[in-house]
Amino acid sequence: MANAQHIQRRMASITASPAPARFTVGRDRRGTWIVQDRQGLVGGLFANEAAALHFAAEECNHNPADICRAPEGSVLDLNGLVIPFPNLH
């Protein structure tokens, strides 16, 4: 769990980078955590945020610049679309 907290702290310090992140972390309409890469080749559904962040970090060799969160109020789907969904809690 300490490893997941470390990843979360590193994620909180990420600002916009010039290159697009390889992975996006967010939730689907049911609230399930999703990780997807920008090419649609790697990703999955996760039970919690820590597991999603851990997977993304492992896949990109713990480079925080390669991981971004979906914008607040958006919903991810496995097709790679980010859809505004204001009622997500």
Side-chain angles (χ1 to χ4, degrees):
M1 188 66 172
N3 202 14
Q5 290 172 344
H6 175 73
I7 293 168
Q8 288 175 333
R9 281 194 305 273
R10 289 177 67 183
M11 286 292 299
S13 67
I14 294 173
T15 58
S17 64
R22 179 175 174 202
F23 292 99
T24 302
V25 177
R27 290 182 178 224
D28 66 9
R29 290 185 188 274
R30 295 173 305 211
T32 304
W33 286 94
I34 292 181
V35 174
Q36 56 187 225
D37 78 338
R38 68 176 173 249
Q39 297 175 342
L41 301 175
V42 178
L45 301 173
F46 297 86
N48 56 51
E49 180 183 21
L53 291 171
H54 178 77
F55 173 82
E58 288 290 321
E59 288 295 313
C60 67
N61 201 26
H62 297 272
N63 181 2
D66 280 340
I67 305 169
C68 73
R69 291 182 185 269
E72 187 69 31
S74 296
V75 173
L76 294 180
D77 68 19
L78 290 178
N79 293 323
L81 301 174
V82 178
I83 305 166
F85 195 66
N87 295 330
L88 180 67
H89 298 284

